Amino acid sequence: MNKYILKSSFLLIFSFCSGTKAIAESAENLQLPAAYLQLPAAYLQLPAAYLQLPAAVQQTSAQYLQLPSSPLLSSEEKLFINKTFLEFYADSDFNSGIKFKSPFLNSSLYVNYKDFVKTKQNDSQTAAKEEKAELHNTYGFHLFTDSFCSILPCQIKFGKLNFSGSLSKINNPLISNFSSPFSFSPMSVSGVSASLPSYSSYTKPLGIFLEGGYKNKNTILQRLLLNYWTTEKKAENTSQSEGFSSTADFSFPFKTDKLKISAAVTAGIFSYEENSSTKWFLPEAYYSSGKNLCTSIQFSIQFKKLYFCFLDNTYQNPFNEFNSIFRSDFKYNGKHFTFCLDGLYSPAQIIKTPSEKKITRQSQLAASLQYKTMIKKIFIKTGVGGNSTFYFQDQNRFPFSTEEKELCTEWKLCYGLSISSAKTSVNFTASINGNAPLPFLENNTNINSAKIKNQNKIEISGINAQIKNNYYFSKISPAILFSAALTPKEDFSKITSSYKTALYLSSSTNPQFSGNTSFSFSVKDEKITSKKISGTLTAGLKIRQINIKGKISFEIKLVE
């Protein structure tokens, strides 16, 4: 019995070694990588009794089994290969550009030659118009260290940058006049942020953005950022600005949850032009050009399902007066219910923001209540919301402006319903708005009664319905959409309606593409108007580290 076992084992080992030699000779002829022949060492650790083979066989097997290993890429080389690519872009609106991304440097350059092409194609244009033909361009560069040092990140941005964050809140701190309760959301604490330009940012001024700080989610101080920005003056309606901002986020462990506190401070100097005019009477007191100081202080606290945020913006007017705007937001986000409440108060008679927006003396209040649930894989969400603005007039201060807002309160109420499943979604919204005189103004003899006459007005601002059905296949994902909007006027005696049907198609394979085409029309006074067909097709091709993207859009207005 032992003889049969020994004989069988010998034949098995001899076959294994012969097969290994044959594989190695085949690999040498086919020039296969050596990594395919790196068998685990455990397969070669056989008892010595089984290895009583001829020396030539053992030498041949060892020669082919001890092959050199293939070189491995370092982590830095893998990071550079995975996050580095070059993108080329062009579309039918005469935009073209190039974008480069790497682990430490991003850059973009876009050019629009629409005006240039139109001028050159029309030979009848005058020389003066030909001089105005130019190539509009935008560019930006971004140097950062996040990929190599995530705890102490630093970044530098230069070009025609898009600034947002706290600068947007300084330019317009008012509560937005939303028409759907689902679009209502409280503000979040943020400092100044900047992004590289896209092919639609040709009018942005040149700017510089520097930022450095500390980030670590495992400590109480999770983030501390300090940045500086400066921009040049581009046009008459833009201002030159310079300033800094700082943001800090804290997270304190508290029983089974965490208490999160965030704060941000922004201060900047913005230029403004004089308000000279050829009219005899100016709408506001005269002032010469200069610079003013604007600041923003933000603070938020979040614990479990509760969130509270506070904002204080301070503006210096041309007469060296400082006026503030206060705003606070509150949100409760429960399992089924979500409640939001926002309030704003501007005590100054008028404030001019750096974006030339005028904010009169007013107070705002907005609220929304949403309910959401899941029934047999169908998600249902419904809600109501409303906002109101109360306008006042200050009779005791020297008027910075003689413009007077209508002495009334403007309000808006809206309702929304959303039902969605894996493939189908249905949305419905309706809103009404109106205005009414403030109660204490009706008996005020110092106010012209003409200003509060005909202020009790209520109208339906819009009724919208939409249904969208999605289909999912292995390579493409089409979708069909139908929507309708009604705008009644004068107690439903006149109704303006608009309708739209659209087809969407997208693919995630290489090459990628997504497109849509739609047909829309309006009905007014029982007549069909504004008939048009529009569409967009976007395609992309990826070849290793190179991306090629293109976009074609069209719009055809049908003759009525």
Side-chain angles (χ1 to χ4, degrees), residues 114-127:
K114 185 175 183 179
D115 295 340
F116 183 82
V117 171
K118 285 186 176 181
T119 303
K120 294 302 180 182
Q121 288 179 348
N122 192 349
D123 297 332
S124 63
Q125 291 182 344
T126 60

PDB file of all heavy atoms in Angstrom, residues 114-127:
ATOM      1  N   LYS A 114     -17.629  84.650 -30.024  1.00  0.00           N
ATOM      2  CA  LYS A 114     -18.895  84.845 -30.721  1.00  0.00           C
ATOM      3  C   LYS A 114     -18.959  86.211 -31.387  1.00  0.00           C
ATOM      4  O   LYS A 114     -19.293  86.331 -32.565  1.00  0.00           O
ATOM      5  CB  LYS A 114     -20.051  84.674 -29.732  1.00  0.00           C
ATOM      6  CG  LYS A 114     -21.425  84.742 -30.373  1.00  0.00           C
ATOM      7  CD  LYS A 114     -22.508  84.444 -29.333  1.00  0.00           C
ATOM      8  CE  LYS A 114     -23.887  84.442 -29.977  1.00  0.00           C
ATOM      9  NZ  LYS A 114     -24.942  84.123 -28.973  1.00  0.00           N
ATOM     10  N   ASP A 115     -18.666  87.278 -30.611  1.00  0.00           N
ATOM     11  CA  ASP A 115     -18.699  88.627 -31.182  1.00  0.00           C
ATOM     12  C   ASP A 115     -17.664  88.784 -32.277  1.00  0.00           C
ATOM     13  O   ASP A 115     -17.887  89.463 -33.286  1.00  0.00           O
ATOM     14  CB  ASP A 115     -18.463  89.662 -30.080  1.00  0.00           C
ATOM     15  CG  ASP A 115     -19.587  89.660 -29.058  1.00  0.00           C
ATOM     16  OD1 ASP A 115     -20.682  89.169 -29.385  1.00  0.00           O
ATOM     17  OD2 ASP A 115     -19.365  90.136 -27.935  1.00  0.00           O
ATOM     18  N   PHE A 116     -16.521  88.150 -32.116  1.00  0.00           N
ATOM     19  CA  PHE A 116     -15.453  88.251 -33.097  1.00  0.00           C
ATOM     20  C   PHE A 116     -15.869  87.624 -34.423  1.00  0.00           C
ATOM     21  O   PHE A 116     -15.655  88.185 -35.497  1.00  0.00           O
ATOM     22  CB  PHE A 116     -14.204  87.565 -32.558  1.00  0.00           C
ATOM     23  CG  PHE A 116     -13.015  87.682 -33.463  1.00  0.00           C
ATOM     24  CD1 PHE A 116     -12.235  88.823 -33.452  1.00  0.00           C
ATOM     25  CD2 PHE A 116     -12.668  86.644 -34.309  1.00  0.00           C
ATOM     26  CE1 PHE A 116     -11.132  88.927 -34.280  1.00  0.00           C
ATOM     27  CE2 PHE A 116     -11.575  86.742 -35.141  1.00  0.00           C
ATOM     28  CZ  PHE A 116     -10.803  87.887 -35.130  1.00  0.00           C
ATOM     29  N   VAL A 117     -16.514  86.451 -34.352  1.00  0.00           N
ATOM     30  CA  VAL A 117     -16.935  85.771 -35.570  1.00  0.00           C
ATOM     31  C   VAL A 117     -18.048  86.547 -36.269  1.00  0.00           C
ATOM     32  O   VAL A 117     -18.045  86.719 -37.491  1.00  0.00           O
ATOM     33  CB  VAL A 117     -17.393  84.341 -35.241  1.00  0.00           C
ATOM     34  CG1 VAL A 117     -18.054  83.688 -36.456  1.00  0.00           C
ATOM     35  CG2 VAL A 117     -16.214  83.514 -34.772  1.00  0.00           C
ATOM     36  N   LYS A 118     -19.015  87.072 -35.516  1.00  0.00           N
ATOM     37  CA  LYS A 118     -20.113  87.824 -36.121  1.00  0.00           C
ATOM     38  C   LYS A 118     -19.618  89.076 -36.812  1.00  0.00           C
ATOM     39  O   LYS A 118     -20.096  89.456 -37.881  1.00  0.00           O
ATOM     40  CB  LYS A 118     -21.143  88.181 -35.048  1.00  0.00           C
ATOM     41  CG  LYS A 118     -22.008  87.010 -34.616  1.00  0.00           C
ATOM     42  CD  LYS A 118     -23.085  87.460 -33.661  1.00  0.00           C
ATOM     43  CE  LYS A 118     -24.012  86.308 -33.311  1.00  0.00           C
ATOM     44  NZ  LYS A 118     -25.098  86.728 -32.389  1.00  0.00           N
ATOM     45  N   THR A 119     -18.621  89.735 -36.225  1.00  0.00           N
ATOM     46  CA  THR A 119     -18.093  90.956 -36.831  1.00  0.00           C
ATOM     47  C   THR A 119     -17.349  90.651 -38.116  1.00  0.00           C
ATOM     48  O   THR A 119     -17.474  91.352 -39.119  1.00  0.00           O
ATOM     49  CB  THR A 119     -17.169  91.668 -35.832  1.00  0.00           C
ATOM     50  OG1 THR A 119     -17.899  91.937 -34.647  1.00  0.00           O
ATOM     51  CG2 THR A 119     -16.653  92.966 -36.404  1.00  0.00           C
ATOM     52  N   LYS A 120     -16.576  89.587 -38.103  1.00  0.00           N
ATOM     53  CA  LYS A 120     -15.805  89.257 -39.291  1.00  0.00           C
ATOM     54  C   LYS A 120     -16.678  88.745 -40.428  1.00  0.00           C
ATOM     55  O   LYS A 120     -16.350  88.905 -41.602  1.00  0.00           O
ATOM     56  CB  LYS A 120     -14.743  88.203 -38.926  1.00  0.00           C
ATOM     57  CG  LYS A 120     -13.682  88.712 -37.966  1.00  0.00           C
ATOM     58  CD  LYS A 120     -12.957  89.918 -38.515  1.00  0.00           C
ATOM     59  CE  LYS A 120     -11.897  90.431 -37.555  1.00  0.00           C
ATOM     60  NZ  LYS A 120     -11.217  91.631 -38.060  1.00  0.00           N
ATOM     61  N   GLN A 121     -17.787  88.117 -40.089  1.00  0.00           N
ATOM     62  CA  GLN A 121     -18.649  87.585 -41.136  1.00  0.00           C
ATOM     63  C   GLN A 121     -19.454  88.662 -41.837  1.00  0.00           C
ATOM     64  O   GLN A 121     -19.875  88.488 -42.982  1.00  0.00           O
ATOM     65  CB  GLN A 121     -19.594  86.537 -40.536  1.00  0.00           C
ATOM     66  CG  GLN A 121     -18.909  85.238 -40.167  1.00  0.00           C
ATOM     67  CD  GLN A 121     -19.873  84.252 -39.551  1.00  0.00           C
ATOM     68  OE1 GLN A 121     -20.993  84.604 -39.205  1.00  0.00           O
ATOM     69  NE2 GLN A 121     -19.429  83.013 -39.415  1.00  0.00           N
ATOM     70  N   ASN A 122     -19.692  89.787 -41.203  1.00  0.00           N
ATOM     71  CA  ASN A 122     -20.492  90.860 -41.783  1.00  0.00           C
ATOM     72  C   ASN A 122     -19.544  91.918 -42.329  1.00  0.00           C
ATOM     73  O   ASN A 122     -18.964  92.707 -41.593  1.00  0.00           O
ATOM     74  CB  ASN A 122     -21.409  91.450 -40.708  1.00  0.00           C
ATOM     75  CG  ASN A 122     -22.469  92.353 -41.318  1.00  0.00           C
ATOM     76  OD1 ASN A 122     -22.409  92.699 -42.496  1.00  0.00           O
ATOM     77  ND2 ASN A 122     -23.439  92.735 -40.507  1.00  0.00           N
ATOM     78  N   ASP A 123     -19.357  91.954 -43.624  1.00  0.00           N
ATOM     79  CA  ASP A 123     -18.425  92.896 -44.233  1.00  0.00           C
ATOM     80  C   ASP A 123     -18.973  94.310 -44.258  1.00  0.00           C
ATOM     81  O   ASP A 123     -18.219  95.263 -44.475  1.00  0.00           O
ATOM     82  CB  ASP A 123     -18.106  92.459 -45.666  1.00  0.00           C
ATOM     83  CG  ASP A 123     -17.401  91.117 -45.687  1.00  0.00           C
ATOM     84  OD1 ASP A 123     -16.721  90.801 -44.688  1.00  0.00           O
ATOM     85  OD2 ASP A 123     -17.528  90.414 -46.695  1.00  0.00           O
ATOM     86  N   SER A 124     -20.258  94.503 -44.033  1.00  0.00           N
ATOM     87  CA  SER A 124     -20.852  95.826 -44.105  1.00  0.00           C
ATOM     88  C   SER A 124     -20.681  96.619 -42.819  1.00  0.00           C
ATOM     89  O   SER A 124     -21.078  97.778 -42.770  1.00  0.00           O
ATOM     90  CB  SER A 124     -22.349  95.707 -44.424  1.00  0.00           C
ATOM     91  OG  SER A 124     -23.015  95.011 -43.382  1.00  0.00           O
ATOM     92  N   GLN A 125     -20.101  96.023 -41.801  1.00  0.00           N
ATOM     93  CA  GLN A 125     -19.932  96.746 -40.552  1.00  0.00           C
ATOM     94  C   GLN A 125     -18.820  97.770 -40.684  1.00  0.00           C
ATOM     95  O   GLN A 125     -17.867  97.595 -41.428  1.00  0.00           O
ATOM     96  CB  GLN A 125     -19.618  95.772 -39.415  1.00  0.00           C
ATOM     97  CG  GLN A 125     -20.804  94.883 -39.062  1.00  0.00           C
ATOM     98  CD  GLN A 125     -20.466  93.979 -37.897  1.00  0.00           C
ATOM     99  OE1 GLN A 125     -19.302  93.820 -37.585  1.00  0.00           O
ATOM    100  NE2 GLN A 125     -21.484  93.421 -37.269  1.00  0.00           N
ATOM    101  N   THR A 126     -18.942  98.802 -39.916  1.00  0.00           N
ATOM    102  CA  THR A 126     -17.975  99.882 -39.977  1.00  0.00           C
ATOM    103  C   THR A 126     -16.709  99.491 -39.244  1.00  0.00           C
ATOM    104  O   THR A 126     -16.660  98.528 -38.486  1.00  0.00           O
ATOM    105  CB  THR A 126     -18.564 101.146 -39.338  1.00  0.00           C
ATOM    106  OG1 THR A 126     -18.876 100.877 -37.978  1.00  0.00           O
ATOM    107  CG2 THR A 126     -19.822 101.574 -40.072  1.00  0.00           C
ATOM    108  N   ALA A 127     -15.680 100.295 -39.459  1.00  0.00           N
ATOM    109  CA  ALA A 127     -14.406 100.023 -38.797  1.00  0.00           C
ATOM    110  C   ALA A 127     -14.512 100.196 -37.296  1.00  0.00           C
ATOM    111  O   ALA A 127     -13.847  99.525 -36.533  1.00  0.00           O
ATOM    112  CB  ALA A 127     -13.325 100.947 -39.364  1.00  0.00           C
TER     113      ALA A 127
END
